[in-house]
Amino acid sequence: MADNRSHGKIDALPDHLKKQVEEKLMSGETYEDIASFLQENGEDVHFSSVGRYGRKFLNKFQSVRIATEYASMLAKDNVDRPATEIHEANNLLASQLIMQALVDDDMDPKERSDLIRSIASLQRAQVSNENLKLKARKERGAVHTAMELLKDKVWEELGESYPDIAAKLLLLAENTEEEMERMEKVQ
């Protein structure tokens, strides 16, 4: 199969010039200024070629920057979030990056096919994540129900005769349930 990837003039530049173009794009120089710089260095590159390359380069850079900031935010916020929420956020971020990559006109069909398979894998992971959350909710409900039954039984058996002991046992049951909830969030 023929390679239908377009190769612009910036892609064909020597590595050191291409790197300088990218640095100039990052610093906010205009496409015209960058084209003039390239012409001064013996390269016949029109500002429109710089613009096409610059838009793609800056979009990719922006995606990576956002992903890095988001990953950093998730890492800092990890303590308060259940693991399922972190996985869900990571899947969402990965899906967004894949979708941005899929709109790249220069992508060859094999890369596009691999990315589409990646989306399917992320969707399967999300379904597993949702099943895990449902199971955790059911278990949490069962634990809560069991603790409520225990508290009722303690009060029925000890409340009238030994109210101080019953109150202490009820407090221990409530503290245990809260501790279990905290432990669940950390996992």
Side-chain angles (χ1 to χ4, degrees):
M1 180 177 278
D3 184 10
N4 65 352
R5 182 183 296 234
S6 66
H7 296 283
K9 289 187 175 186
I10 304 297
D11 287 314
L13 291 174
D15 287 341
H16 73 281
L17 280 178
K18 185 176 175 184
K19 182 175 174 148
Q20 287 179 315
V21 167
E22 291 172 353
E23 288 171 359
K24 289 177 179 297
L25 287 167
M26 296 292 293
S27 68
E29 289 191 35
T30 67
Y31 299 151
E32 290 87 357
D33 289 345
I34 296 171
S36 295
F37 161 78
L38 289 171
Q39 288 169 1
E40 291 168 7
N41 283 281
E43 300 293 337
D44 183 28
V45 178
H46 192 267
F47 79 92
S48 62
S49 294
V50 175
R52 280 190 297 277
Y53 182 83
R55 282 186 295 280
K56 288 179 186 177
F57 174 78
L58 291 173
N59 281 340
K60 287 179 183 176
F61 176 79
Q62 180 73 359
S63 295
V64 169
R65 187 184 63 76
I66 289 170
T68 302
E69 287 176 4
Y70 193 64
S72 174
M73 179 193 71
L74 284 174
K76 288 177 187 171
D77 198 27
N78 187 12
V79 176
D80 297 331
R81 289 177 176 250
T84 54
E85 286 185 25
I86 293 169
H87 293 298
E88 188 174 325
N90 285 332
N91 282 351
L92 178 62
L93 179 61
S95 294
Q96 286 176 320
L97 293 173
I98 289 170
M99 294 306 288
Q100 287 175 350
L102 282 172
V103 299
D104 184 358
D105 293 336
D106 292 342
M107 186 176 294
D108 71 43
K110 182 179 179 338
E111 287 176 318
R112 193 172 303 275
S113 176
D114 289 345
L115 283 177
I116 290 169
R117 277 194 292 281
S118 295
I119 288 176
S121 294
L122 285 172
Q123 288 172 338
R124 284 190 301 276
Q126 187 60 33
V127 167
S128 295
N129 196 34
E130 289 300 320
N131 287 337
L132 186 60
K133 286 194 310 191
L134 286 172
K135 182 180 176 188
R137 277 190 216 117
K138 285 180 185 175
E139 288 174 1
R140 193 175 325 124
V143 167
H144 178 72
T145 301
M147 294 303 274
E148 289 301 315
L149 284 170
L150 175 65
K151 288 188 263 184
D152 289 343
K153 296 282 186 193
V154 164
W155 191 254
E156 285 175 18
E157 294 293 322
L158 301 174
E160 229 176 275
S161 303
Y162 307 99
D164 291 344
I165 294 173
K168 183 68 172 171
L169 288 172
L170 293 176
L171 182 62
L172 286 171
E174 287 174 14
N175 290 344
T176 301
E177 187 174 6
E178 288 171 7
E179 186 175 332
M180 290 175 72
E181 287 175 6
R182 279 193 304 275
M183 288 171 47
E184 182 181 289
K185 285 182 181 180
V186 172
Q187 295 173 352

